[in-house]
Amino acid sequence: MSSAMDLEYTAAQSKPKAFYESFERKEELRHQTHYCPGCGHGIVHKMLARAIDELGIQDRTILISPVGCSVFAYYYFDVGNVQAAHGRAPAVGTGIQRSRPGSIVIGYQGDGDLSAIGSAEILHAANRGENITVIFVNNAIYSMTGGQMAPTTLLGQKSTTTPDGRTAEHEGHPLHMSELLATLSAPVYIERVGLGDNKQIAQAARAVKRAVENQVRGLGFSLVEVLSPCPTIWKMPPVEAQHWVRDVMEKTFPLGVFVDRTKESRPRAATNAAPALEEIPRILGTRDEDADAIDDVPALRAQEVDLHVRVSGFGGQGVLLLGEVLAEAGMDAGLEVSWLPSYGPEIRSGTSNCHVRLASSPIDSPLVTHPNVLVAMNEPSLKKFSAGVRPGGWILYNGATLPAEYERQDIRILARDFTREADTIGDPRAANMVMLGALLEIAGTLPQASIDAALRHCVKQPKWIDLDERALVLGRSLCKQFLERGAA
Amino acid sequence: MDKLKPDRGLLKIDENECKGCGLCVEACPPKVIRIGDSLNHCGYRAAIYIGAGCTGCGICFMACPEPGAITVFRLVDRRATAVPVPHAQVEGAVSCASN
């Protein structure tokens, strides 16, 4: 640069390169942030962007935006960006750091995000000493939502939810997150800084850079709490808000270094990188090498499979296993499948059920409220689900005859005592597989090889596999008999 | 020119990026920034450099919440550049001065 006097000037302080050249949040104002005039976020953003520039880590930095006014940080930082659910940045950061070792993970959180809804996540991430950096912007109020009390709101401070000022009796004392986290053994660096005047701002910039640098050196968990002005919600002009940070906030939240173990900390060994996506089926031991299964796809797809199956019975009857084998077989055959089991107290001696879908086109919802096949392994299941069966559909009922009140003319009903049938081949507990055999006969689309593979995948013990195979054959023959009788 | 020493710094404020918060006015040690009289396209009275006296300290840059509203320039020391030096060293000197 040169002036009229032919003096040479060079840019010493300019927009950091870690920011995008223009911000594409809206059509207009592509060079401005969305923050209010005098907002501390812009200042902290700038410090962070400068630290990223100076440490030369822009291409491996992943920034996690929170919920709060800074939710749009990803519009400004030209780095990897993830926007986490409210308060979950430390948990998301943990996952990113562990699956992408070598990346620089920076969580950016406000006081509502970090000290209220996300208090558990930050506590445990800090306690694990995750190698991440957390920038905690504390303005002592919920600003984005219009000024409700935050855990960090000062005693006596007015907010929309404490119109007469916060009191210790009713709302408790302000939460000191830095001091709280400093009681843990793992964090390497925790400092509280402010944006109250030039001196504080300079110190804040140093702290932010240091917190990021610790991670670059692999030292572990660093957190910088920044006391930051919110002129809009505090209802103060920007300069007055800045002074309020220094003159008032700082009395409740003293500045300083609470933890510094950077000297004695040893760089941690990076975790192993996450495996490539295509490696995962092999690692999990699911059949991916079965290339022949893929050959079945075009033929099956052409048949337009659309099975909606509800399987229901007592817990312990093998309801979930029946559904799982069906879904696995469908998956092996290259169909779209879903298997949604019921869990928890439901499967402890109560009625257990699962939703299974097999389709040649993508599945919109795994829920099956109107099955085209209902497998009812006991009477309560009939009561619960038989009315929902689609006209033209099937009920397979485990009982010699269908109770009269469930009779319907618009569906087909195969009622047999499948438990007794299973007993004839060796074990009444194989009733679920007899019923699955009948179901497969009705569905008629799945190749036997897929069914065998699914059975071997879901059932581990050889003696059961043998019994289950016989049960499937029996089920098929029972269904065939029924169909022949119907045709005759 | 009767002025013996040139300003060590120079300030550029992008009027359209400024939101007129005044934090730079408050932060500037030699007090060479003021809030302007006219409104910018957003309706803010943008900060303006009074045109002389900047020391190039860069404090206004750090106090300003907008990423690129302020750019601070520094006078290149001709004594340093009179002797040919490797490019890398010049760069190093500049970034050092900015800290």
Side-chain angles (χ1 to χ4, degrees):
Chain A
M1 302 290 141
S2 58
S3 74
M5 292 185 289
D6 198 27
L7 291 165
E8 244 188 285
Y9 284 89
T10 178
Q13 305 269 19
S14 56
K15 186 175 175 179
K17 297 210 169 20
F19 284 125
Y20 285 111
E21 183 56 40
S22 80
F23 308 138
E24 298 187 2
R25 196 173 80 84
K26 286 193 286 185
E27 279 303 305
E28 76 278 23
L29 305 177
R30 285 179 162 228
H31 294 278
Q32 262 182 350
T33 63
H34 69 289
Y35 299 116
C36 308
C39 174
H41 275 309
I43 301 174
V44 182
H45 278 20
K46 199 182 266 182
M47 291 170 180
L48 190 56
R50 234 167 70 129
I52 292 168
D53 277 9
E54 288 172 7
L55 294 166
I57 51 169
Q58 185 178 4
D59 56 351
R60 60 186 176 116
T61 294
I62 300 173
L63 183 75
I64 306 168
S65 327
V67 170
C69 287
S70 51
V71 62
F72 292 138
Y74 53 81
Y75 278 112
Y76 308 130
F77 285 90
D78 185 7
V79 297
N81 285 287
V82 175
Q83 203 279 312
H86 206 354
R88 273 55 181 170
V92 172
T94 299
I96 295 171
Q97 182 56 270
R98 290 187 179 197
S99 58
R100 299 187 67 89
S103 49
I104 303 300
V105 180
I106 302 169
Y108 189 104
Q109 298 186 264
D111 50 327
D113 196 70
L114 184 140
S115 73
I117 194 166
S119 53
E121 276 73 15
I122 190 65
L123 186 69
H124 292 288
N127 193 44
R128 292 190 302 269
E130 295 296 339
N131 190 30
I132 59 174
T133 303
V134 177
I135 308 297
F136 168 35
V137 180
N138 177 3
N139 58 16
I141 203 141
Y142 288 165
S143 293
M144 185 185 72
T145 50
Q148 295 80 10
M149 192 200 83
T152 45
T153 296
L154 312 185
L155 287 178
Q157 187 181 347
K158 287 182 180 172
S159 70
T160 58
T161 46
T162 54
D164 296 323
R166 181 180 189 165
T167 60
E169 294 76 26
H170 287 110
E171 293 89 19
H173 290 270
L175 203 52
H176 291 72
M177 288 307 293
S178 290
E179 285 88 337
L180 198 85
L181 297 172
T183 62
L184 304 171
S185 310
V188 290
Y189 175 62
I190 297 177
E191 178 168 356
R192 182 184 289 124
V193 294
L195 302 178
D197 56 30
N198 290 349
K199 210 176 140 194
Q200 289 189 358
I201 290 172
Q203 178 57 26
R206 280 192 289 271
V208 166
K209 186 179 173 186
R210 230 185 125 194
V212 180
E213 203 173 7
N214 288 341
Q215 188 185 164
V216 175
R217 291 168 61 201
L219 298 183
F221 184 87
S222 298
L223 178 140
V224 176
E225 174 176 348
V226 187
L227 304 183
S228 171
C230 177
T232 301
I233 299 297
W234 293 356
K235 300 181 175 63
M236 295 176 196
V239 173
E240 193 183 316
Q242 187 185 46
H243 292 164
W244 199 77
V245 168
R246 184 191 58 198
D247 301 334
V248 181
M249 258 187 110
E250 200 193 322
K251 287 194 171 64
T252 299
F253 295 110
L255 307 188
V257 178
F258 296 97
V259 172
D260 187 357
R261 299 192 182 96
T262 48
K263 282 200 176 65
E264 61 264 37
S265 291
R266 296 261 167 278
R268 324 166 119 221
T271 50
N272 293 328
L277 204 57
E278 50 272 21
E279 287 286 289
I280 289 172
R282 189 185 55 76
I283 293 165
L284 292 176
T286 54
R287 314 150 315 282
D288 201 34
E289 302 89 52
D290 271 358
D292 54 339
I294 292 161
D295 297 339
D296 295 337
V297 176
L300 260 187
R301 296 227 161 191
Q303 290 181 36
E304 279 303 315
V305 180
D306 190 20
L307 264 182
H308 298 241
V309 181
R310 193 73 177 258
V311 190
S312 180
F314 289 126
Q317 279 184 313
V319 165
L320 303 190
L321 179 67
L322 193 168
E324 197 182 357
V325 173
L326 180 62
E328 282 284 343
M331 188 156 67
D332 189 275
L335 292 168
E336 303 280 339
V337 302
S338 68
W339 172 67
L340 185 69
S342 56
Y343 275 111
E346 280 185 299
I347 58 173
R348 312 256 183 274
S349 80
T351 299
S352 165
N353 72 88
C354 66
H355 312 237
V356 182
R357 287 202 57 187
L358 274 73
S360 40
S361 49
I363 291 168
D364 47 4
S365 164
L367 285 176
V368 177
T369 39
H370 296 290
N372 46 26
V373 182
L374 169 67
V375 180
M377 294 193 71
N378 61 6
E379 200 184 329
S381 303
L382 272 184
K383 195 173 179 181
K384 212 167 171 183
F385 301 118
S386 66
V389 177
R390 295 172 191 220
W394 279 82
I395 292 180
L396 302 183
Y397 175 55
N398 183 23
T401 50
L402 190 81
E405 63 263 45
Y406 305 116
E407 279 292 351
R408 274 173 62 178
Q409 298 305 317
D410 57 343
I411 56 174
R412 307 182 82 176
I413 296 158
L414 169 54
R416 283 297 278 258
D417 194 337
F418 288 99
T419 306
R420 199 177 296 275
E421 298 288 349
D423 196 34
T424 62
I425 59 162
D427 196 317
R429 286 177 287 176
N432 60 342
M433 290 298 146
V434 181
M435 295 190 86
L436 177 61
L439 195 161
L440 290 169
E441 192 61 31
I442 293 167
T445 45
L446 293 171
Q448 188 60 40
S450 294
I451 297 161
D452 292 343
L455 196 64
R456 271 167 185 73
H457 177 77
C458 299
V459 180
K460 302 296 177 209
Q461 287 191 29
K463 65 164 185 175
W464 282 109
I465 292 176
D466 175 59
L467 179 69
D468 288 345
E469 279 176 346
R470 285 186 288 127
L472 288 174
V473 172
L474 174 64
R476 279 183 185 273
S477 69
L478 289 172
C479 186
K480 269 184 208 146
Q481 281 172 25
F482 174 79
L483 290 170
E484 281 159 13
R485 264 208 316 268
Chain B
M1 286 284 162
D2 40 321
K3 197 178 169 190
L4 290 175
K5 273 192 173 177
D7 283 338
R8 281 177 288 151
L10 191 68
L11 201 56
K12 202 183 106 203
I13 300 173
D14 188 325
E15 190 200 333
N16 287 327
E17 290 192 37
C18 178
K19 289 174 180 165
C21 71
L23 291 182
C24 57
V25 178
E26 175 74 9
C28 176
K31 299 291 168 208
V32 293
I33 311 174
R34 68 174 180 86
I35 295 294
D37 301 318
S38 57
L39 300 173
N40 70 7
H41 73 296
C42 301
Y44 296 122
R45 287 188 205 285
I48 50 172
Y49 175 41
I50 62 169
C54 175
T55 63
C57 71
I59 290 173
C60 58
F61 174 82
M62 286 312 290
C64 171
E66 284 303 311
I70 294 180
T71 308
V72 180
F73 298 89
R74 281 214 189 99
L75 184 65
V76 175
D77 189 342
R78 284 174 180 261
R79 284 167 302 178
T81 49
V83 191
V85 285
H87 183 68
Q89 279 183 33
V90 177
E91 289 289 301
V94 169
S95 74
C96 197
S98 72
N99 283 337

